[in-house]
Amino acid sequence: MADDTKIRGVGVLGCGLMGSGIAQVCAQAGYRTVVREVDQARVEGGLGRIEQFLENGVARKKLTAEARDSTMGRLSGSTSVDALADCDLIIEAIVENVDAKRAVFSEVEAVVGPDTVFCSNTSSVCITELAAATRRPDKFAGLHFFSPVPIMNLVEVIRGLTTTDDTYRRVFDFAGSLGKQPVTAPDRPGFIVNRLLIPYLLSAVKAFESGCGTLEDMDTAMTLGCGHPMGPFTLLDFVGLDTTYYIANIMFEEFRDAAYAPPPLLKRMVLAGRLGRKSGHGFYQY
Ligand code: CAA
Ligand code: NAD
């Protein structure tokens, strides 16, 4: 008899910075993977980024040309949720906005089977709230990857109030099957890593605004002084200023703690479209 609980096909919602990385590692681990984006240009842009990363990996002798080709062979993209109908697991990685996430899960729920497990890669939205908006709150969990997904080894696995032990174990084991190290994190905004990282990044912006130093000097200070791989402004541009701003707002709303309050400069940069690397201009120009 076929094992109904086995994950064979994975659907990834969103193929931006995170969705493309998540789709890549799923396909590399042998899962048939379908991404869904809002338009064809974004489908092609996301799949193109994956192909480029794999190509660079071959050039660096990190993977073979055969592994690159078989990974790309397991990947496909669409603008329609119908393409996700056969998926056993859905991983949502769209904009950090609760209404948009609820809406996309409701679209997917109309086409997938009742046993399909839903996960969100949200950084800060309440997992229990997203689960409650579906007809499968027992089969819903948080699965939080780190950027760049193919390189960073950690995945936080989050149990909502309604997540069953069985769903939790399947999602935890799935993260392990990608070659990642899963850790259990609480259903509180920011989970573990962002609970600590976001106040640090926000405090860097506040310190810059109050004249602490130049962007370059502050970045150099944290890389050379603390051994961080990136200084705070390089990392902010890398994560995305919009995403950081949305996360900070959600964390502030939940905790009512000034450490999570987005600084005025961050808000204005997002309003001006200076989103970091993805828009070509953030604290630095690219
Ligand atoms: N294919 C395969 N492997 C590759 C690769 C490719 N295309 N490109 C790079 N790699 C490998 C390299 O070979 C190298 O591995 P080894 O050490 O085993 O040789 C490793 O990846 C690092 O590559 P590089 O040496 O080229 O890159 P780097 O030293 O400049 O580091 C970085 C790049 C990993 C991004 C590093 O700058 C870093 O760790 N930055 C911080 C990232 C971070 O903090 N991420 C978390 C953000 S917060 C988040 O994600 C959560 C949220 O909710 C906001
Ligand atoms: P991004 O802006 O790079 O990509 C989001 C993508 O989602 C866009 O390409 C957009 O077109 C697409 N999208 C929007 N609505 C959609 C829909 N209904 N269906 C399909 N696609 C849709 O953002 P990102 O940095 O990849 O962040 C995505 C999620 O991952 C957010 O929840 C964020 O908090 C989380 N996250 C981000 C990071 C990071 O470092 N940026 C790390 C971990 C988790």
Side-chain angles (χ1 to χ4, degrees):
M1 215 175 84
D3 178 1
D4 290 342
T5 64
K6 192 165 166 45
I7 291 165
R8 297 179 184 84
V10 180
V12 180
L13 299 167
C15 200
L17 178 69
M18 296 306 289
S20 60
I22 294 167
Q24 178 184 326
V25 297
C26 292
Q28 277 187 290
Y31 297 101
R32 181 173 44 78
T33 305
V34 191
V35 298
R36 191 276 182 123
E37 256 293 349
V38 290
D39 57 41
Q40 193 55 29
R42 284 178 193 253
V43 171
E44 283 161 23
L47 293 178
R49 267 197 308 282
I50 297 174
E51 194 161 19
Q52 187 60 57
F53 191 96
L54 294 172
E55 198 58 55
N56 293 344
V58 173
R60 286 169 175 250
K61 300 200 186 320
K62 287 281 177 174
L63 82 160
T64 63
E66 292 72 34
R68 172 200 62 203
D69 294 344
S70 59
T71 298
M72 288 310 296
R74 282 188 285 272
L75 273 166
S76 60
S78 177
T79 55
S80 165
V81 286
D82 293 343
L84 279 62
D86 292 335
C87 293
D88 308 297
L89 177 71
I90 300 293
I91 306 173
E92 170 277 313
I94 73 164
V95 61
E96 189 71 335
N97 176 286
V98 67
D99 294 331
K101 288 181 189 294
R102 285 172 59 139
V104 79
F105 277 122
S106 142
E107 270 188 87
V108 176
E109 196 142 49
V111 300
V112 298
D115 294 328
T116 297
V117 172
F118 283 3
C119 288
S120 175
N121 178 56
T122 179
S123 307
S124 52
V125 173
C126 175
I127 297 301
T128 304
E129 180 176 358
L130 291 176
T134 70
R135 293 194 301 275
R136 62 193 77 212
D138 53 326
K139 296 192 188 73
F140 198 110
L143 191 60
H144 186 227
F145 291 82
F146 292 83
S147 169
V149 179
I151 297 176
M152 305 309 270
N153 279 331
L154 185 72
V155 175
E156 292 175 324
V157 186
I158 302 103
R159 187 199 292 266
L161 212 56
T162 50
T163 312
T164 60
D165 288 348
D166 178 58
T167 300
Y168 186 76
R169 182 191 49 74
R170 288 178 68 194
V171 171
F172 197 90
D173 291 350
F174 172 78
S177 78
L178 302 178
K180 303 291 185 196
Q181 172 68 59
V183 295
T184 298
D187 184 17
R188 295 290 182 274
F191 313 127
I192 295 173
V193 171
N194 282 333
R195 183 90 163 246
L196 305 177
L197 180 64
I198 295 295
Y200 159 70
L201 294 176
L202 299 180
S203 72
V205 179
K206 289 171 197 164
F208 173 68
E209 280 195 277
S210 66
C212 182
T214 64
L215 297 173
E216 292 80 2
D217 281 346
M218 290 178 73
D219 268 354
T220 301
M222 291 311 291
T223 49
L224 298 186
C226 290
H228 290 190
M230 288 175 169
F233 301 103
T234 304
L235 185 55
L236 278 158
D237 278 357
F238 186 67
V239 166
L241 303 190
D242 51 346
T243 302
T244 308
Y245 178 64
Y246 303 145
I247 296 171
N249 275 317
I250 292 168
M251 295 185 78
F252 182 67
E253 195 181 314
E254 173 95 34
F255 296 124
R256 304 284 166 179
D257 179 335
Y260 303 105
L265 176 61
L266 183 64
K267 174 178 170 178
R268 280 152 184 77
M269 290 183 73
V270 174
L271 289 172
R274 293 190 185 171
L275 310 182
R277 282 197 199 189
K278 66 174 134 183
S279 70
H281 193 170
F283 284 103
Y284 299 105
Q285 277 193 312
Y286 299 90

